[in-house]
Every structure is written in structure tokens, then in C-alpha cells.
Amino acid sequence: MSTTSAALGRIQPSATLAMSARVNALKAQGVDVIGLSAGEPDFDTPDFVKEAAITAIKGGQTKYTDVDGTVAVKDAVIHKFSRDNGLTYTRAQVSVNSGGKHTLFNALVTTVDAGDEVIIPAPYWVSYPDIVNFAGGTPVFIEGPASQGYKITPAQLDAAITPRTKWVMLNSPSNPSGAAYSAEELKGLGEVLRRHPHVLIMTDDMYEHVWYAATPFATIAQTCPDLYERILTVNGCSKAFSMTGWRIGFAGGPEWIIKAMAKLQSQSTSNPCSISQAAAVAALTGDQSFLEERNTAFRKRRDMVVAMLNDAPGLDCPVPEGAFYVYPDASGLIGKTSPKGVKIDSDETLISYFLDDAKVAAVHGGAFGLSPAFRISYATSEEVLKKACTRIQEACAALK
């Protein structure tokens, strides 16, 4: 009998991708389902980025490159970190990978051993704990409930750290909640981490440029520069530049971690796509003015979705400060019964009800480690969002 590895057995398929596959199957059958489960901006990749890729193809940039990025793309990443975050890195401190998930995977697999603990605030992006599990480590969760704005406190962080803690993972703005840590809040977490010099800090800033808060975006290496040698700052082109399919993620951090990531990458994927790297150079160094226009559109959608969900009986939807997700608390619906007699005993049952009866696809809160809730992506048109939220309102009102 054939068996798979123990490492593979420690992970689960991505819940978000599984829901997207379910939506696509229903659509293929002609079902009028609205999919709000995918974390993908509906805007197209900017034309100047596409043109850079076309030029690279015509110029013959179709060969292998350095394992963790060309000189040009590493310099573009260095430029981005300096311009946007006031951070200084050398080429030896920069890793370029096949998407942000690949960056996180490389960093964790090269540093985490059995028995190591990785602190993950919940709600969290679905892949964080599974990558830790694959590496043989132990995820340690800290709940940041809606009453705390879906963020953790310094006291919670301090209580979770043990001698076995290897990493703390931060994600701001957050997928799935859209919660964002201010500079002052990051300083508060930094005060705790300063007392625990054995702990590394990984910050996933993928949604940096999808930002609505009154205060400017900040990352912890900015606010706590004395922790610089312990911080891996992760980012990428997927969300800000609508380049999800191009698969370019990157990180700046300690040279020893970057070197380890390159070693792993040399025996797994080798270099990221050469054409995508050329496109990323244009994205990171070109005109950034389009970001404001897109943020304006996202903010308008956010405000409409939050208002409509808060009008749905039993839902309480906080206002996100970034990203393009809402994460409504569904406590008020648990225990109710659908018109077909189905007991809503969990957020997973609730999401199945929405899909089956309202033909709206979202992702249940259990997948993100904090229930009862669900995630909706508002990275689609206002017309579609209004239709979806109306269906959710009607579905909630039908519960008894």
C-alpha cells in the first residue's frame, strides 16, 4: 500500500482555494453563485508592468536567473523598502521568490525544527499554521477577538512566549480581518519582544498599499529599529499591483536567513519566473500613483459592504483599516435554524447555508482560527457586492 509522508499528513488543503474550486464547479453547472471567497483584486495588472514583461520576452530574458532573484529585481526591492518603509537592505539581505506564500514557506522550513513554537495571532491567514506544521514546529495561537479590533495586546504576546518560541508572525493589514496595527501598537509589541532576544519576528506586509487608516502604514522594523537583526519583512507584488498570477514575493532580513532560504530554493523551485521578475522591477520602481485611485475604490466598496452586513440580523461587522476583506462576527446566528430545518451550529454550517440557499460563497471563520465569523472579499464590483450582501441579509432574516 502506498503512503504519503508524515510531513504531508501534518497539513490540510487550503480552505480558501477549496471554496474557490467549489464555486467554479457550481458556475460550470450554470448555478448563479457569487464567489466572494478569493483574495484577489479584480483590477488588472497595470499596463506599464505588462509592457515591461513583453519587452523582457522580446529581449530574450527567458533563461535561468540567480536562484533568489536577479540583481535588477533585488535592487528594485531594496528601492521599495527604502522609499516606502525607510529600511535599508543589501542584496545579500533580499530574497525573491515565487509568491509571498513561497517566501513564508522558505523562511519557516529553513529555521523551524521539531519542538520549536511559532506564535500566530488569530484570526490568521490559512497557510500560516500549516506551513509551521509541515516544518515540524508547533503553532501557538493568540486570539485577538472583534472586541480588540482583531488585534493582540502586548500582555497576550508576553504570556505566550516561552523558551521554545522561535518566531512571532505579524500580518498587518490582516488577511482575513483587515485589522491594521498602528505604529504605536507595534512599538508596544516591540517592547515585549525586546525582553525576549531569542524570538525572531516575521511580518507579512502583503497588503501594505491597501490601506485606509488615518495614520500612515508602519512595519515593525521601522518602529523598532533596534530589533532589525531579528526581523524578516515579507511583501510582494500580488495585491498592490494585481499580480497574483505572476507569483513574485520577496523579503528583506538577516543575511543568514536569506542565505538559508536561497539554499532551500536552489533544491526546490530554483529561480522565480524570469519574465515575472522583469515585470516586478517595473512595478516596484515605476509610477505608484494608481494605488491611490484603487484604494479609493476599495474604500467605497468596504463602506457599502460593512453597512449592508451590519444591517443583516445577527451579524456584527467591524470596519477594516486595510486589505480588501471583512470579517463579520456571526455569534448572533449560531443556534438558529434555516427554513429547511438545518441547525446553524457553527460558522462552517452557516457558510454552507449561504452557499446552498443564498448562492453566496464566503470562507468560514474556523479556517482562520477564530469563530464564529466568516471572511468576505470585496475585491469585486459594487454591483456584485450589493447583490451578494442583499442575499446574505435575506438569508440571515430567514433564520429562526
Side-chain angles (χ1 to χ4, degrees), residues 19-35:
M19 180 58 81
S20 294
R22 213 171 149 190
V23 169
N24 291 336
L26 288 170
K27 286 183 176 180
Q29 296 168 22
V31 178
D32 177 25
V33 61
I34 300 174

Side-chain angles (χ1 to χ4, degrees), residues 108 112 116-122 124 128-129 132 137-143 152-154 156-171 189 192-193 196 198-202:
L108 289 168
V112 172
D116 288 342
E117 296 175 350
V118 178
I119 294 175
I120 303 174
Y124 48 72
Y128 292 160
V132 173
T138 302
V140 175
F141 303 114
I142 305 175
E143 289 194 359
I152 64 169
T153 66
Q156 285 179 299
L157 176 59
D158 200 29
I161 293 174
T162 75
R164 307 197 81 151
T165 303
K166 190 64 173 280
W167 287 97
V168 169
M169 299 186 72
L170 300 175
N171 176 211
L189 297 177
V192 172
L193 292 164
H196 301 279
H198 68 290
V199 178
L200 297 169
I201 305 141
M202 189 180 305

Side-chain angles (χ1 to χ4, degrees), residues 328-368:
D329 184 325
S331 302
L333 299 178
I334 303 302
K336 295 196 172 187
T337 304
S338 77
K340 295 177 182 177
V342 176
K343 182 74 173 290
I344 306 299
D345 57 3
S346 68
D347 51 29
E348 190 166 11
T349 308
L350 177 66
I351 290 311
S352 293
Y353 166 60
F354 286 160
L355 184 60
D356 294 340
D357 287 43
K359 300 298 184 287
V360 176
V363 185
H364 70 287
F368 305 103

